[in-house]
Amino acid sequence: MDQSDEQHAGCPACTDAAAPSGEVEVEVEGAPESGSGWTRRSLLQLSMAAGVGAAGVRMSPAFAAAVGALDAPGSVHAPAIAPGPSSQQLSWPVPSIVTRAQWGCNEALRKGGQSYDSVVEKIVVHHTVTPNNPSDPAAVVRSVYEYNVSGVYIDIAYHFLIDQFGRIYEGRWAQNYPAGAPHIGENSSRQNVQGAATLGHNPRTLAVAMLGTFTDILPTPEAMSALNTVLAWKCARWGIDPIASTAYRNSDGGIEVFPDIIGHRKVVPTICPGDPIIARLSSIRDQVSTRIRGGIFGYWVAGSDGSTQVFGDLPDVGDPRRLGIRSVIQAIVAHPSGLGYWALGTDGGVFTFGPARFFGSMGGTRLNQPVIGMAVTRTGNGYWLLARDGGIFSFGDARFFGSTGAIRLNQPVVAMAATPTGNGYWLLARDGGIFSFGDAKFFGSTGGIHLNQPVIAMAPTPTGRGYWLLARDGGIFCFGDATFFGSGPGRGLRSPAVAIASTTTGRGYAILAADGTVLPFGDAQSFGNASGNVVGFAARLVPRA
């Protein structure tokens, strides 16, 4: 088939829908896993019915706090992004993407004839109508691809797919990317490859598919978090206002007005992507709108007794005190979904709330140095625990990349931060010395500088190409692509600073003081503070990536 035919093709869940005259009717989205018991006919029938990269920071034995950046539903702002992409939009952090080679794409099956768009106007959300929570999601992505190319498609219909763990898969081929370049779905001229997932609405749109069948349930929190990440990235990159409804010229030349983030069924007669996702789209639009304008969207402030105060739009998922946990709590770290957290005891014990899961702990283990901090992997399916000597303990899908446990240090380690990819981390010493492991890069330190107050926390930039260091007096030190937006002394900080977090844009940060006060800078926001409601120190800010 030529590209003009494929432009009119839609996701195969539309098979039984009435296709406009002259358009290609296609079949089921995706194919079942071998031996799953899902037949092509049953899938066809079903289709018709169908910030936080948590970077560990040393926690005070007295009190701990967390700021989890959860996109706040209901936040409506004027458009902040002009149509583009401009140089600023092109710098929006690219999420970690499982490339076609990594998910095992057989490129020999792909056909030629790709078309490209110089602008993207709409993003359409789909589901693949395949089994939920597959043991091998990459195999399901391959099955979707292979089924698509066996028919009218030149390639997989979607631009990106998201599995239950929040992993983002490269969909349609755009170019052979240079080594190390992110696979963003565009050619070397910055044009977006055209997909074939939305009947009559493929030009100038981008298709994101949730891997599974969501007629009755929502995707996992990890998957929904990844969806927000992709939507925010592409809205920022292409100047799409997430909360706007604008005119669109369809493949027949007709003019339609509908939201710029839309569910498949709103433009094509199909049930895709399912009622639960459709019901959530309004808040998703608000979340993405808030996210691309930056800000810290909420925080938890926890006392050493486990009592937790909630600020902003974060959920109250319980706390250690309510569970009767007697361990002194020194850290709480947000789940990547922003819907829960882990609490870390001074004995290295780990306690879970909301969607956070237990993968192991150092509780009850004899240690050379106490555990003082924690960082969570990008997927939320693992974490690292940090000892005061820089020793690293890995659990779940957290990989060990190195430590300072066997190195003689001038000053003890006080914090760690994971890279945006989760394939590395930094360790921070009290004198501001930086130790880089995995794909974490060294951009500078205060290790050789005379400091008025010790360095106590750090926050990476969203790109992973820089970081801020925070001193106890609220002083800020910027390295790499980290920009200075202000500091504690300039805002009359009255209590020692204890933590810092970047906004999702990297154009601001927030400082948390020991008395629970939150000081926003740049595009960061404050939702109030716990000043006067805590005794001792509060110490934690956790941005969503």
Side-chain angles (χ1 to χ4, degrees):
M1 62 180 271
D2 63 31
Q3 180 64 24
S4 63
D5 289 328
E6 201 202 28
Q7 285 179 359
H8 292 275
C11 95
C14 297
T15 305
D16 298 328
S21 176
E23 295 190 335
V24 177
E25 284 192 90
V26 290
E27 298 177 354
V28 61
E29 294 182 282
E33 293 184 293
S34 176
S36 68
W38 285 57
T39 66
R40 172 174 158 183
R41 183 175 186 83
S42 67
L43 284 171
L44 288 171
Q45 292 170 342
L46 181 58
S47 72
M48 286 308 297
V52 164
V57 177
R58 181 183 65 87
M59 312 311 293
S60 162
F63 279 84
V67 173
L70 179 67
D71 305 310
S75 300
V76 178
H77 304 273
I81 308 292
S86 68
S87 59
Q88 184 181 59
Q89 292 157 30
L90 292 173
S91 68
W92 185 273
V94 178
S96 179
I97 296 171
V98 180
T99 67
R100 290 167 67 96
Q102 289 169 338
W103 57 255
C105 179
N106 181 358
E107 297 291 0
L109 301 178
R110 173 171 49 84
K111 306 162 192 173
Q114 285 73 19
S115 288
Y116 296 84
D117 295 313
S118 59
V119 64
V120 175
E121 300 171 357
K122 308 280 185 178
I123 304 178
V124 186
V125 180
H126 300 257
H127 67 174
T128 58
V129 198
T130 52
N132 292 335
N133 304 318
S135 58
D136 186 355
V140 180
V141 175
R142 290 194 297 272
S143 74
V144 174
Y145 167 69
E146 291 163 6
Y147 191 83
N148 284 176
V149 296
S150 71
V152 298
Y153 295 98
I154 62 174
D155 194 356
I156 194 167
Y158 311 108
H159 292 88
F160 299 97
L161 302 94
I162 297 171
D163 73 12
Q164 71 266 30
F165 303 112
R167 290 182 294 228
I168 302 164
Y169 295 78
E170 177 188 11
R172 179 152 291 213
W173 180 91
Q175 64 164 309
N176 291 322
Y177 293 92
H183 291 219
I184 59 176
E186 300 170 22
N187 64 14
S188 58
S189 299
R190 295 179 178 172
Q191 295 173 316
N192 197 68
V193 65
Q194 194 171 115
T198 313
L199 192 67
H201 301 76
N202 289 308
R204 307 175 313 284
T205 65
L206 191 143
V208 183
M210 311 304 285
L211 204 66
T213 302
F214 301 106
T215 54
D216 300 312
I217 62 171
L218 274 172
T220 64
E222 294 87 352
M224 295 301 290
S225 176
L227 174 62
N228 281 7
T229 294
V230 172
L231 294 175
W233 165 42
K234 288 299 184 178
C235 282
R237 186 169 180 82
W238 289 103
I240 298 170
D241 184 350
I243 59 176
S245 291
T246 58
Y248 174 82
R249 183 181 297 275
N250 63 33
S251 297
D252 282 342
I255 301 297
E256 304 174 57
V257 177
F258 54 86
D260 291 352
I261 295 176
I262 194 75
H264 184 195
R265 67 190 267 186
K266 294 298 185 179
V267 291
V268 172
T270 175
I271 210 69
C272 173
D275 290 346
I277 293 178
I278 291 293
R280 188 63 67 90
L281 274 181
S282 178
S283 66
I284 287 173
R285 295 183 190 105
D286 288 340
Q287 291 165 9
V288 173
S289 178
T290 300
R291 186 169 184 176
I292 66 175
R293 289 157 182 85
I296 300 297
F297 303 107
Y299 37 93
W300 294 285
V301 177
S304 61
D305 64 348
S307 59
T308 304
Q309 300 174 61
V310 184
F311 296 86
D313 196 53
L314 294 174
D316 185 348
V317 292
D319 62 40
R321 184 185 59 175
R322 296 179 215 176
L323 295 180
I325 296 171
R326 296 184 179 181
S327 173
V328 175
I329 301 301
Q330 61 174 336
I332 60 175
V333 181
H335 186 274
S337 68
L339 301 177
Y341 61 84
W342 290 267
L344 176 66
T346 52
D347 62 353
V350 173
F351 312 99
T352 64
F353 302 89
R357 295 169 53 202
F358 179 77
F359 298 102
S361 76
M362 299 308 295
T365 304
R366 184 184 177 95
L367 302 171
N368 293 327
Q369 294 288 336
V371 172
I372 54 145
M374 180 179 187
V376 175
T377 64
R378 183 184 63 84
T379 65
N381 292 315
Y383 43 74
W384 298 273
L385 300 185
L386 171 69
R388 190 162 55 196
D389 60 359
I392 296 289
F393 306 97
S394 303
F395 300 92
D397 66 359
R399 295 170 54 200
F400 177 77
F401 298 103
S403 74
T404 62
I407 300 174
R408 181 167 182 172
L409 302 172
N410 294 325
Q411 294 288 335
V413 170
V414 295
M416 77 177 294
T419 63
T421 65
N423 293 321
Y425 43 74
W426 295 273
L427 303 187
L428 172 68
R430 191 170 182 268
D431 60 358
I434 294 287
F435 304 90
S436 304
F437 300 94
D439 66 355
K441 305 298 183 184
F442 178 78
F443 300 103
S445 74
T446 62
I449 301 175
H450 177 74
L451 301 173
N452 294 325
Q453 294 288 335
V455 172
I456 46 84
M458 72 180 298
T461 63
T463 65
R465 296 192 290 269
Y467 41 73
W468 293 273
L469 304 186
L470 173 68
R472 190 165 59 191
D473 61 359
I476 297 289
F477 303 91
C478 305
F479 299 94
D481 64 359
T483 300
F484 181 77
F485 298 103
S487 66
R491 293 282 292 276
L493 188 70
R494 298 180 180 179
S495 181
V498 289
I500 180 174
S502 166
T503 65
T504 55
T505 65
R507 295 192 288 271
Y509 45 75
I511 294 174
L512 180 66
D515 64 358
T517 299
V518 176
L519 298 179
F521 299 88
D523 63 3
Q525 305 174 53
S526 173
F527 287 87
N529 61 73
S531 180
N533 296 319
V534 298
V535 178
F537 289 94
R540 185 60 184 165
L541 289 154
V542 181
R544 181 176 182 166

